[in-house]
Amino acid sequence: MSRSLSDHLRVVRRIARWEVGRSAGTIDRRTAAFALVALLLAGGVASTGALAGGVALDRDIYRVGVSPESPYYDAIASSPALDARPPTVDRADVDLYVGDGYIVADDSQKSRAALAELNDAVRRYNTGAMLAEENRTAAFPVVVSLEYVQRGASIPAGATTGASAESSSGTAGESESGRTGSAGSDDGDAAGPTPDSSRSAGDGSDDGDAADRDDDSLSVPTLGGINPFGSESTGSPADISPPFPFASLVLAFAFLVPMNFVVQAYGGTMLNERINRRGELLLVAPVSPGDIVAGKTLPYLTALVGLTAVVAVAVGGGVVSVAAVLPIGLVFLGATFVGAMFARSFKELTFLTVAISVFLTSYTFVPAIFTQVTPIALISPLTLVVRDLSGAGVSLGEFLFSTGPFFLCAVVLFALGSGVYREEDMFTQRSVPLKFLDALDAHVSRPRDVALVSLLSIPFVFVAELLAIAVLFVLPVELTVPVLLLLVALVEEAAKSLHVFAAFEKGRFARTTRTALLLGALSGLGFFVGEKFTAVAQVVGLPELTLGQAALGPSGVGIGVFSAAGLLLAPLALHVVTAGISAVGAARGRRWYALSFLVAVAVHTAYNLTVVSVLG
Amino acid sequence: MIRVDGLRKTYGDFPAVVGSDFEVGDGEIFGVVGPNGAGKTTTLKMLAGLVEPTEGTATIGEYDAGDAEMRRHLGFLPEESPLYEDMTARSYLRFFADLYDVPREEATRRTEDTLDRLELEHRDRRLGDMSKGMKRKVAIARSLVNDPELLIYDEPASGLDPLTTNYVLEFTRDLAERGKTVVFSAHNLYHVESVCDRVVIMNRGEIIARGTVPEIRAEHGETSYHVFTTVPVEETDVVGADVTDAVDVAADTAVDATPDTDASAGPETYRSVVADMDAVESVRSAAEKAGGEVVDIRTREPSLEDIFLDLAGRPPETRDDGKGRPVAAQADGGVETLDGDGGDRSGHARDDGGAR
C-alpha cells in the first residue's frame, strides 16, 4: 500500500520534532542557557549594528583632525571608517589633518589608506548630494568632447578614454617614495606632523566649487579633475586593481561560518543512529528511510536557513543572498550526511566533516574573490552574495548557473547516502572507499541503472571541472590546458566506471565481456545525455574562455567544433568506448579495472587533445 | 501467520541462510535455535523486513515481509536494546507510538499498562541512567506500543540476570496467552525449551531439525538409563548381541562404570549408562555375578542442548576479542559492526556470521 505525500510529510514532521526534542535533551540546561544568552548578545550586537547603518568592519579605524566648519566635515562624519577629531588634537594622534584648504597626511601606509578612504567618502558624499538634487541634468551633466581628426589617421591616445586620462592626470605629483604629492599646491606651508610628512592640498586650481558656491548644496569641494589624494598604492584592499570587493567578501564569508557548526551537530546525530545499531528500530517502524533522513535533516536545514536569514539581515543582504546560500547549505548537509553514513567513528566523521568544510569553504569563497573579474567567479553561489551585498544585480541565468550544480549535487549526495541507509549497510564497519562503493552499488540493480547513475554523476563532474578551471586559469594557457584535459578525462572516466566496478564487485552482474560491454555502453550513453546539460554553462559565457572550452568543449558541449553529426556522435562514441574499456576491466577484478581505467583515461585525453589542438 | 519458502540470504559468496522453510501459526511461540553464525538473526531480520532475502519469500499474514504496512502489525525486539539514552522512557515510547499513528490517549494508556505489567518504575528517568534490565523492559514495551499481532524477539533475555531473564520469559508466555504470535530466538536452549511451542534448530544457515521439543527429542534424541550398582561392571560382562549394541550406542565408548558420589545412590555405587531395558538387565546380571546389586535406575531424557550438540557437533570456534567477549569465527574474515561511541572496531559478533 503506497502512502500519500501528506502521510510522508506527517511522518517527516514527527521525526523532525522528535529530533529537535532529542537533540535538545543532549544539552544540559546550563549550557543551553549560556548559549541562549550568548546568542541573544550576538543578535543584539548584530541588530544594533544593523540599525546603526550596517556592520562596518573598519569602523573609526582612521582618525582625522577636522573642524566642524570644514566643508569636509560632513563627508568625514558620514564615513564609518573615519573618526572626526577636533582640529585642536595633537597631529601626531591623527592619520589625516584637514586644514583650511589643505590636507596633511603622514608618510605611512595607514595615512595613505586614510587618504584613500577620505577620497571615497567625499565621492560618496558628493554622489549622495547630487542624487538629492531635483535637477538631475545639472547634477550629472553629460560632457561630450569632440575632436576632429583626419580620415584614416589614428585616433589620438586618450580620445576615447578621457575620463581615465583626466583622472590619471589628476594624480600627478606622486613621488617615487610613495608620498602623496600636492597637485595644486606649491606653497608647501602645510606642515605635516613630521618633517618628512607629505602634504596634499585641495586642488583649488580649476574649480574650487565649494569656495565659490556658498549657496550650493554641494558644499564639499569636488574631487574631480585633479585628484589631490592620489588613488594608487595606498595599501587599501579597495585600491587593488581590478577591484577587490573586500568588505562584501568578508560579509559573504559570515554566511559560511554558522554552517560549520550546524553540520557538526548534524553529522553527529546521523552517525549516532549507526552507533550501537540505534537506528535499527526506526528502520523497522512503518516509515521509509527517506522519511527518516528527511525528518532528521529538516531541523538542521531549518536552522541553516534561519541563521542565513539572520546573517543576511545583519549584513544588509537580501533575498538573493539567502537564496544563494541555501544550496551551499544543502551541499554542506548532503556531504556531511554522506560522511556520517561512511564514517566508522566520530573521529573519522570529524576528519570527514572538516575536510568537507575546508573544501566547500574554499570552493565557494575563493572564486567569489574574482566577482568583478571573470565569469568563473559564478561557479560559486557566494559570488551572488557578494554581488547582492555590493548592490550589483543578478540575472536568472546567472543564478541558475551558480546554484544549479549545488542543488543537483545536494540531491545526488542525499540519494547516495540514502542508498546505504538500510540495515545491511548502516551498521557495518567498512572503510570509506568500500562504503562509497556500497552506496554506488545500492543504486545499481538493473543494467539501465548504470546509465542513470552516470547521468546523475554529471553535477559532480561539472563542479570538479569548474573547480579545475578556477584553480588553473591563472596559469599560462599553454601549460594548463593539457593538464586540464587530463584532469577532465580522469574525472569523467571515474564517474562513468566506478559504479560499474562496484556492481561487478557485489556480484550484481555476470562477469562476462558481453555484459561489461553492454554496461559500458549504457554508462557512456547516460553520461553523454547528462553532459549535454552542461550546456547551461553557456548562459554566462564560460565556454568562451579558453579553459572553459577545453574543459567543457572537447567531449561535451563542443559548440562550433564539429559539424552537427560529429557534434552529436563523436562525444557519444568516445564515452561509450572508454566506458566499455573500463567496464571490461572491472568485470575481471580490481587490478584489471585499474589498468583499464588508465587506458580509458589515456584514450579520453588523446581525444580531448586532438579536439583542442587540431580541430579547435 | 508466517509462511517462509526457500528463504536464502548470501553476503557476497557467504551463505548466511540457506533455503529456510517453515510456518508459524497464530498465537504460537516459535523458537529459532542455533549457535552464533547459525543464521537466526538474519532469518528474523528477513521476517521483519530489515534484510532483503537473496531468494525466497516470507509472508506475514497478507503482507510480504518488508511491506511498510506489515510493520504496523509487527513488534521487533533486537538482540540489544539500542535506545536513545537522552530520552526518558515515557518520551521514547510516546515517540514510537506517534510513528505507528497510535492516538495520544491510547498510546499513554497502552504504555502505562505495559510498563505496569513490566513493573518498570522511574519512567521519567533518562534511559541512559537505567540498568540493562530496565532498558530491556523499555525495549519490550516499545515493541508493544502498536499492539502488534506478531512479535519477533531476538535473544530477548540476552545479557540479563537470571531474575530478569525469568521475568522476560514469563512475560513472553503471557503475551502468547493474550493471542500474540511470538518468534523467538535464543542461544540458551533451556529458555527455548521452556517457552516455545515449536522450534527449528539452525546451524550454518540451515535448518537441521524442526518440530515441538518432544517431537525433536523423539526423532533426534536417545533416552538413556543410568544404572547404579554396588560393584563395578566390566564392559565385557555386558554381553550378548542386543546388550552390546545398546551399550555402545548409549555410552558411546563403553559402559561408564565410575564411582558415583550421589548421596541418594549411596557412597559406594557405580554408574553404568545404557540405552535400553535389555542393557539394564544385562548390567543387573553382571552386577549380581560380581557379588553386587543394582541400587538405583534412573531414566534421563536428552535436553534440547544435548540434541543440538549431537546434531550440530561443536559450535563454531570462538575467539576472544581482547575485551573478554567471545567473537564468532567468521568464514570470510568477517564484518564488524559499529559498537560504542568511540567507534572502535570492537568485533561485535554478528549472529549471521556477518559476511559483508
Side-chain angles (χ1 to χ4, degrees), chain B residues 66-98:
Chain B
D67 189 313
E69 199 57 31
M70 179 277 287
R71 294 184 203 156
R72 293 190 180 281
H73 307 280
L74 168 70
F76 179 73
L77 182 70
E79 183 176 355
E80 294 173 18
S81 302
L83 309 176
Y84 296 100
E85 303 204 330
D86 298 303
M87 302 179 81
T88 65
R90 278 201 173 98
S91 61
Y92 177 77
L93 296 174
R94 194 178 302 133
F95 165 63
F96 276 94
D98 269 354

Tab-separated table of all heavy atoms in Angstrom, chain B residues 66-98:
chain	number	residue	atom	x	y	z
B	66	GLY	N	8.608	-6.942	4.959
B	66	GLY	CA	9.230	-5.709	4.482
B	66	GLY	C	8.215	-4.691	4.026
B	66	GLY	O	8.537	-3.505	3.901
B	67	ASP	N	6.988	-5.122	3.787
B	67	ASP	CA	5.931	-4.173	3.429
B	67	ASP	C	5.734	-3.198	4.600
B	67	ASP	O	5.626	-3.609	5.750
B	67	ASP	CB	4.648	-4.962	3.162
B	67	ASP	CG	3.548	-4.091	2.582
B	67	ASP	OD1	3.325	-3.002	3.133
B	67	ASP	OD2	2.932	-4.506	1.592
B	68	ALA	N	5.715	-1.919	4.264
B	68	ALA	CA	5.601	-0.913	5.333
B	68	ALA	C	4.327	-1.126	6.149
B	68	ALA	O	4.307	-0.915	7.369
B	68	ALA	CB	5.634	0.481	4.733
B	69	GLU	N	3.284	-1.570	5.475
B	69	GLU	CA	2.025	-1.772	6.184
B	69	GLU	C	2.129	-2.966	7.139
B	69	GLU	O	1.528	-2.964	8.210
B	69	GLU	CB	0.899	-1.986	5.157
B	69	GLU	CG	-0.491	-1.768	5.692
B	69	GLU	CD	-0.699	-0.377	6.299
B	69	GLU	OE1	-0.048	0.605	5.828
B	69	GLU	OE2	-1.478	-0.273	7.254
B	70	MET	N	2.918	-3.958	6.731
B	70	MET	CA	3.129	-5.119	7.602
B	70	MET	C	3.764	-4.690	8.921
B	70	MET	O	3.451	-5.226	9.986
B	70	MET	CB	4.024	-6.130	6.879
B	70	MET	CG	4.353	-7.398	7.674
B	70	MET	SD	5.735	-7.219	8.832
B	70	MET	CE	7.115	-7.183	7.722
B	71	ARG	N	4.649	-3.699	8.835
B	71	ARG	CA	5.379	-3.291	10.041
B	71	ARG	C	4.454	-2.700	11.097
B	71	ARG	O	4.796	-2.653	12.267
B	71	ARG	CB	6.456	-2.281	9.677
B	71	ARG	CG	7.537	-2.879	8.808
B	71	ARG	CD	8.620	-1.878	8.570
B	71	ARG	NE	9.361	-2.195	7.361
B	71	ARG	CZ	10.033	-1.319	6.645
B	71	ARG	NH1	10.065	-0.061	7.008
B	71	ARG	NH2	10.685	-1.673	5.563
B	72	ARG	N	3.298	-2.247	10.665
B	72	ARG	CA	2.332	-1.735	11.653
B	72	ARG	C	1.839	-2.852	12.561
B	72	ARG	O	1.350	-2.607	13.654
B	72	ARG	CB	1.132	-1.101	10.945
B	72	ARG	CG	1.468	0.152	10.201
B	72	ARG	CD	0.225	0.864	9.718
B	72	ARG	NE	0.621	2.065	8.998
B	72	ARG	CZ	0.989	3.193	9.594
B	72	ARG	NH1	0.975	3.268	10.907
B	72	ARG	NH2	1.362	4.227	8.874
B	73	HIS	N	1.924	-4.090	12.078
B	73	HIS	CA	1.418	-5.229	12.844
B	73	HIS	C	2.547	-6.028	13.481
B	73	HIS	O	2.347	-7.153	13.917
B	73	HIS	CB	0.600	-6.139	11.921
B	73	HIS	CG	-0.471	-5.410	11.179
B	73	HIS	ND1	-1.677	-5.085	11.748
B	73	HIS	CD2	-0.498	-4.890	9.923
B	73	HIS	CE1	-2.411	-4.417	10.874
B	73	HIS	NE2	-1.718	-4.278	9.756
B	74	LEU	N	3.720	-5.426	13.490
B	74	LEU	CA	4.898	-6.151	13.958
B	74	LEU	C	5.554	-5.421	15.134
B	74	LEU	O	5.670	-4.196	15.129
B	74	LEU	CB	5.910	-6.234	12.790
B	74	LEU	CG	7.329	-6.698	13.123
B	74	LEU	CD1	7.319	-8.179	13.481
B	74	LEU	CD2	8.257	-6.446	11.935
B	75	GLY	N	5.975	-6.203	16.099
B	75	GLY	CA	6.814	-5.660	17.164
B	75	GLY	C	8.158	-6.381	17.119
B	75	GLY	O	8.204	-7.607	17.192
B	76	PHE	N	9.219	-5.608	16.950
B	76	PHE	CA	10.544	-6.227	16.783
B	76	PHE	C	11.432	-5.846	17.951
B	76	PHE	O	11.541	-4.674	18.312
B	76	PHE	CB	11.157	-5.768	15.462
B	76	PHE	CG	12.521	-6.335	15.201
B	76	PHE	CD1	12.677	-7.674	14.854
B	76	PHE	CD2	13.656	-5.546	15.296
B	76	PHE	CE1	13.936	-8.209	14.605
B	76	PHE	CE2	14.915	-6.075	15.055
B	76	PHE	CZ	15.054	-7.407	14.707
B	77	LEU	N	12.046	-6.837	18.516
B	77	LEU	CA	12.988	-6.589	19.612
B	77	LEU	C	14.345	-7.139	19.205
B	77	LEU	O	14.526	-8.360	19.140
B	77	LEU	CB	12.505	-7.299	20.886
B	77	LEU	CG	13.368	-7.095	22.129
B	77	LEU	CD1	13.251	-5.667	22.646
B	77	LEU	CD2	12.970	-8.080	23.220
B	78	PRO	N	15.288	-6.255	18.907
B	78	PRO	CA	16.601	-6.752	18.515
B	78	PRO	C	17.361	-7.311	19.706
B	78	PRO	O	16.948	-7.153	20.852
B	78	PRO	CB	17.302	-5.519	17.937
B	78	PRO	CG	16.614	-4.358	18.541
B	78	PRO	CD	15.220	-4.786	18.885
B	79	GLU	N	18.478	-7.940	19.392
B	79	GLU	CA	19.247	-8.610	20.443
B	79	GLU	C	19.710	-7.632	21.515
B	79	GLU	O	19.710	-7.941	22.683
B	79	GLU	CB	20.448	-9.320	19.809
B	79	GLU	CG	21.267	-10.108	20.806
B	79	GLU	CD	22.397	-10.871	20.127
B	79	GLU	OE1	22.463	-10.838	18.889
B	79	GLU	OE2	23.203	-11.468	20.848
B	80	GLU	N	20.102	-6.446	21.061
B	80	GLU	CA	20.494	-5.426	22.029
B	80	GLU	C	19.383	-4.388	22.118
B	80	GLU	O	18.472	-4.389	21.302
B	80	GLU	CB	21.806	-4.781	21.593
B	80	GLU	CG	22.971	-5.776	21.648
B	80	GLU	CD	24.247	-5.210	21.069
B	80	GLU	OE1	24.339	-3.986	20.946
B	80	GLU	OE2	25.118	-6.013	20.743
B	81	SER	N	19.483	-3.536	23.103
B	81	SER	CA	18.452	-2.503	23.263
B	81	SER	C	19.080	-1.132	23.005
B	81	SER	O	19.415	-0.419	23.943
B	81	SER	CB	17.872	-2.550	24.683
B	81	SER	OG	17.345	-3.815	24.953
B	82	PRO	N	19.295	-0.797	21.741
B	82	PRO	CA	19.953	0.477	21.439
B	82	PRO	C	18.970	1.637	21.571
B	82	PRO	O	18.358	2.051	20.609
B	82	PRO	CB	20.409	0.285	20.002
B	82	PRO	CG	19.421	-0.672	19.414
B	82	PRO	CD	18.882	-1.501	20.526
B	83	LEU	N	18.839	2.144	22.763
B	83	LEU	CA	17.861	3.204	22.994
B	83	LEU	C	18.508	4.582	22.822
B	83	LEU	O	19.727	4.694	22.803
B	83	LEU	CB	17.303	3.075	24.413
B	83	LEU	CG	16.790	1.687	24.799
B	83	LEU	CD1	16.364	1.670	26.251
B	83	LEU	CD2	15.645	1.272	23.909
B	84	TYR	N	17.686	5.575	22.710
B	84	TYR	CA	18.183	6.956	22.682
B	84	TYR	C	18.313	7.409	24.130
B	84	TYR	O	17.316	7.706	24.790
B	84	TYR	CB	17.233	7.847	21.883
B	84	TYR	CG	17.160	7.430	20.443
B	84	TYR	CD1	16.098	6.667	19.972
B	84	TYR	CD2	18.165	7.772	19.553
B	84	TYR	CE1	16.040	6.260	18.651
B	84	TYR	CE2	18.119	7.370	18.230
B	84	TYR	CZ	17.055	6.609	17.789
B	84	TYR	OH	17.011	6.204	16.485
B	85	GLU	N	19.526	7.424	24.603
B	85	GLU	CA	19.747	7.491	26.036
B	85	GLU	C	19.436	8.844	26.652
B	85	GLU	O	19.374	8.965	27.865
B	85	GLU	CB	21.182	7.074	26.341
B	85	GLU	CG	21.465	5.680	25.789
B	85	GLU	CD	22.571	4.964	26.492
B	85	GLU	OE1	23.472	5.654	26.986
B	85	GLU	OE2	22.521	3.724	26.539
B	86	ASP	N	19.254	9.847	25.820
B	86	ASP	CA	18.917	11.161	26.371
B	86	ASP	C	17.421	11.336	26.567
B	86	ASP	O	16.977	12.374	27.053
B	86	ASP	CB	19.450	12.255	25.450
B	86	ASP	CG	20.957	12.189	25.337
B	86	ASP	OD1	21.624	12.264	26.375
B	86	ASP	OD2	21.457	12.027	24.215
B	87	MET	N	16.657	10.340	26.140
B	87	MET	CA	15.204	10.445	26.305
B	87	MET	C	14.779	9.708	27.571
B	87	MET	O	15.500	8.830	28.063
B	87	MET	CB	14.493	9.830	25.093
B	87	MET	CG	14.878	10.466	23.771
B	87	MET	SD	14.030	9.696	22.380
B	87	MET	CE	12.436	10.506	22.469
B	88	THR	N	13.597	10.050	28.044
B	88	THR	CA	13.035	9.290	29.159
B	88	THR	C	12.233	8.137	28.572
B	88	THR	O	11.929	8.115	27.377
B	88	THR	CB	12.108	10.164	30.010
B	88	THR	OG1	10.975	10.535	29.204
B	88	THR	CG2	12.829	11.420	30.496
B	89	ALA	N	11.909	7.182	29.435
B	89	ALA	CA	11.145	6.027	28.958
B	89	ALA	C	9.824	6.477	28.348
B	89	ALA	O	9.424	6.015	27.271
B	89	ALA	CB	10.892	5.067	30.119
B	90	ARG	N	9.164	7.412	29.028
B	90	ARG	CA	7.857	7.860	28.536
B	90	ARG	C	7.977	8.557	27.180
B	90	ARG	O	7.211	8.275	26.252
B	90	ARG	CB	7.212	8.809	29.550
B	90	ARG	CG	6.507	8.104	30.690
B	90	ARG	CD	5.477	9.011	31.353
B	90	ARG	NE	4.704	8.270	32.332
B	90	ARG	CZ	4.960	8.271	33.659
B	90	ARG	NH1	5.989	8.960	34.121
B	90	ARG	NH2	4.202	7.582	34.475
B	91	SER	N	8.955	9.482	27.064
B	91	SER	CA	9.060	10.227	25.808
B	91	SER	C	9.494	9.302	24.665
B	91	SER	O	9.053	9.449	23.524
B	91	SER	CB	10.035	11.393	25.953
B	91	SER	OG	11.325	10.927	26.283
B	92	TYR	N	10.310	8.334	25.007
B	92	TYR	CA	10.764	7.380	23.998
B	92	TYR	C	9.583	6.558	23.466
B	92	TYR	O	9.401	6.409	22.249
B	92	TYR	CB	11.808	6.463	24.645
B	92	TYR	CG	12.352	5.366	23.770
B	92	TYR	CD1	13.294	5.638	22.786
B	92	TYR	CD2	11.942	4.043	23.945
B	92	TYR	CE1	13.809	4.626	21.993
B	92	TYR	CE2	12.455	3.027	23.161
B	92	TYR	CZ	13.386	3.321	22.190
B	92	TYR	OH	13.875	2.313	21.404
B	93	LEU	N	8.790	6.063	24.369
B	93	LEU	CA	7.651	5.242	23.955
B	93	LEU	C	6.598	6.079	23.226
B	93	LEU	O	5.969	5.618	22.272
B	93	LEU	CB	7.039	4.554	25.176
B	93	LEU	CG	7.976	3.552	25.869
B	93	LEU	CD1	7.340	3.026	27.156
B	93	LEU	CD2	8.304	2.390	24.936
B	94	ARG	N	6.445	7.329	23.660
B	94	ARG	CA	5.473	8.206	23.012
B	94	ARG	C	5.880	8.480	21.563
B	94	ARG	O	5.060	8.505	20.659
B	94	ARG	CB	5.371	9.523	23.794
B	94	ARG	CG	4.150	10.364	23.403
B	94	ARG	CD	4.084	11.609	24.254
B	94	ARG	NE	4.018	11.301	25.669
B	94	ARG	CZ	4.761	11.896	26.605
B	94	ARG	NH1	5.619	12.831	26.272
B	94	ARG	NH2	4.645	11.575	27.876
B	95	PHE	N	7.191	8.654	21.362
B	95	PHE	CA	7.663	8.925	20.007
B	95	PHE	C	7.354	7.748	19.081
B	95	PHE	O	6.837	7.924	17.970
B	95	PHE	CB	9.169	9.204	20.029
B	95	PHE	CG	9.816	9.130	18.674
B	95	PHE	CD1	9.441	10.011	17.667
B	95	PHE	CD2	10.783	8.182	18.401
B	95	PHE	CE1	10.036	9.945	16.406
B	95	PHE	CE2	11.371	8.113	17.151
B	95	PHE	CZ	10.992	8.987	16.148
B	96	PHE	N	7.633	6.527	19.564
B	96	PHE	CA	7.369	5.376	18.705
B	96	PHE	C	5.872	5.168	18.501
B	96	PHE	O	5.450	4.749	17.430
B	96	PHE	CB	8.050	4.119	19.261
B	96	PHE	CG	9.487	4.022	18.830
B	96	PHE	CD1	10.500	4.504	19.625
B	96	PHE	CD2	9.812	3.492	17.596
B	96	PHE	CE1	11.817	4.438	19.212
B	96	PHE	CE2	11.122	3.421	17.166
B	96	PHE	CZ	12.134	3.898	17.973
B	97	ALA	N	5.097	5.470	19.527
B	97	ALA	CA	3.642	5.381	19.345
B	97	ALA	C	3.183	6.349	18.258
B	97	ALA	O	2.312	6.031	17.440
B	97	ALA	CB	2.943	5.679	20.671
B	98	ASP	N	3.784	7.520	18.219
B	98	ASP	CA	3.473	8.502	17.179
B	98	ASP	C	3.783	7.950	15.794
B	98	ASP	O	3.019	8.123	14.850
B	98	ASP	CB	4.302	9.776	17.396
B	98	ASP	CG	3.567	10.781	18.265
B	98	ASP	OD1	2.388	10.518	18.576
B	98	ASP	OD2	4.176	11.795	18.656
